[in-house]
Amino acid sequence: MVLGWSGPFSGPLQSLAETNQAAIEMAVDQVNEDDGVDIKLVVKDDALSAEKAVTQAKQFISEDKIDVMMGPAVNTPFLAAQPIYHNAGLVQLLVGTAATGITDEYPNTWRLFFDGDAEARLIVERLRDHYGSTKIAILAENTGSGLPGADSLEKAINETDGVSLATKQLFATDKPDLGGYVDEIVKSGADGIALWSVGGANTANVVKALAAAGVTTPVVGDIGAVFKATPELAGDALGQVTLDAATFNTELYAEGAEPDPKAVALRDEVKSRLNVDELPDAFHLALMYYNAVHVFKEALKRSDGKTDPDALRAALVEGDIMTPLGDVYTFSEDDRNGYAPENLSFASIAPGSYNDGFWVRAEGAPGE
């Protein structure tokens, strides 16, 4: 099986791509050595570019002769290249792309988690059930990731009992002063904020603007929990704002306890491959990519080594797939989002809540 993967090795997400690649290579080495399969990995740098992703998709198919594809990992290059992979009939396994409706539109596209609508619903329910919010403001980036996220949040608010939309604010990521957006949220009387932001500097700017205005309204959202830089960039402002980030249970640990030993072992091997003392970012996406290779391995074994799309589709829906980390994926022809929304939880993004790849689980979050 020739497995293609593209990640943003150029630009602001370089360290994230390198961490993900280390986990992918680790998984490929394991399954080739221990499970009697032969997977060859072909890697390209999409540089977060839609144009480059399109060119590379054609190269993956015509020159590299890939059988299956992982990624692109980010919405902008993924959405641009997706029709090419679809037209080629390739089975594509997504990690890190929450674009709503993708698995419905493209029958060869499978995903290791749920779409944006499902995540948005859980974010709104977290605000309502844990924080008692009834008027929820949406604050989202005006980007290829933030815009569909904002739409999913609005849909979730409209469909969730006991809450209403206070205001919807879309901010430009090239303008760090977000005071005007915060003023509109304050005017709306919102008692909860649903945030959709890539994370890092953008989320830190949101936190600073809220703290500067004295806003203590709880914030819950998809904020790129992989970015450990958020607390560092937000500084003292983070101590004034309650911020919960949607993420996966595998990446979390209870305050005062230790992370899952299997996940710790994977983290330590990734650090060794990167030759670093500490991961540059949290690594739930690396965990998911590691799992993705094992999902492909299981599909290859079930199909008796066949790599054509029909054989792999049949293998994926044959039954539950459990990875070495204990994560279970269940696919069907009707639902190709293999990771149940119930596996999502929330990290507490606060001073001291990050521990070399892992976040403290937020109070009252699932899995506690």
Side-chain angles (χ1 to χ4, degrees):
M1 174 185 281
V2 181
L3 167 61
W5 179 63
S6 68
F9 291 91
S10 300
L13 301 185
Q14 177 184 348
S15 63
L16 184 62
E18 291 172 347
T19 301
N20 293 340
Q21 183 178 358
I24 293 168
E25 291 176 343
M26 176 183 172
V28 169
D29 290 346
Q30 286 180 349
V31 299
N32 285 344
E33 181 176 346
D34 300 335
D35 293 284
V37 299
D38 182 12
I39 295 178
K40 176 187 175 183
L41 178 65
V42 180
V43 180
K44 296 185 188 297
D45 173 18
D46 61 44
L48 295 176
S49 164
E51 182 179 357
K52 196 168 186 178
V54 168
T55 299
Q56 290 176 347
K58 297 174 182 177
Q59 292 172 340
F60 271 127
I61 294 164
S62 64
E63 299 175 16
D64 301 308
K65 308 295 184 184
I66 63 171
D67 298 303
V68 292
M69 180 67 190
M70 288 193 304
V74 182
N75 275 4
T76 298
F78 162 73
L79 292 172
Q82 181 61 14
I84 298 170
Y85 295 115
H86 170 70
N87 291 336
L90 285 176
V91 168
Q92 189 174 14
L93 195 57
L94 303 182
V95 174
T97 305
T100 296
I102 287 297
T103 56
D104 297 327
E105 185 175 356
Y106 298 108
N108 281 332
T109 299
W110 307 70
R111 184 157 38 190
L112 284 198
F113 55 109
F114 35 86
D115 68 14
D117 283 354
E119 182 180 6
R121 186 185 71 249
L122 294 171
I123 289 169
V124 171
E125 290 176 352
R126 169 78 175 167
L127 282 165
R128 180 194 66 181
D129 298 341
H130 184 73
Y131 290 109
S133 302
T134 58
K135 294 184 65 177
I136 298 176
I138 295 172
L139 182 59
E141 295 178 1
N142 189 8
T143 63
S145 174
L147 291 174
D151 290 342
S152 291
L153 288 169
E154 185 171 5
K155 178 181 178 182
I157 291 169
N158 291 335
E159 294 178 353
T160 301
D161 292 337
V163 299
S164 62
L165 177 64
T167 184
K168 181 178 179 180
Q169 299 293 316
L170 304 175
F171 65 91
T173 58
D174 59 347
K175 296 179 180 178
D177 183 4
L178 305 181
Y181 303 103
V182 172
D183 288 344
E184 292 300 317
I185 290 174
V186 172
K187 291 176 185 177
S188 74
D191 56 7
I193 298 173
L195 176 63
W196 206 287
S197 167
V198 169
N202 297 334
T203 300
N205 287 336
V206 169
V207 171
K208 290 177 180 178
L210 292 170
V215 176
T216 58
T217 304
V219 182
V220 179
D222 182 316
I223 63 165
V226 292
F227 297 105
K228 73 168 188 177
T230 300
E232 298 168 0
L233 294 172
D236 294 340
L238 192 59
Q240 304 172 52
V241 176
T242 299
L243 180 61
D244 293 349
T247 188
F248 297 96
N249 264 312
T250 316
E251 189 191 19
L252 302 175
Y253 70 103
E255 191 168 9
E258 294 294 326
D260 179 87
K262 293 179 181 178
V264 170
L266 173 58
R267 177 202 65 189
D268 290 346
E269 175 62 21
V270 168
K271 287 165 58 176
S272 176
R273 286 173 178 255
L274 294 173
N275 194 27
V276 297
D277 294 327
E278 183 177 354
L279 287 179
D281 296 293
F283 74 130
H284 71 257
L285 287 182
L287 293 170
M288 301 295 282
Y289 276 114
Y290 174 86
N291 283 342
V293 174
H294 283 275
V295 168
F296 273 135
K297 177 266 296 184
E298 185 62 25
L300 190 60
K301 293 181 71 173
R302 290 178 179 181
S303 69
D304 295 323
K306 298 174 184 173
T307 58
D308 63 276
D310 288 341
L312 291 174
R313 276 200 304 268
L316 287 168
V317 302
E318 187 176 308
D320 291 350
I321 297 176
M322 179 176 286
T323 75
L325 292 174
D327 291 313
V328 177
Y329 298 94
T330 305
F331 300 100
S332 71
E333 286 291 356
D334 295 327
D335 186 359
R336 294 186 300 281
N337 301 295
Y339 204 42
E342 290 73 20
N343 290 297
L344 182 140
S345 191
F346 294 92
S348 173
I349 310 301
S353 66
Y354 177 78
N355 176 16
D356 196 7
F358 298 93
W359 292 100
V360 170
R361 190 186 313 277
E363 180 183 352
E368 192 175 39

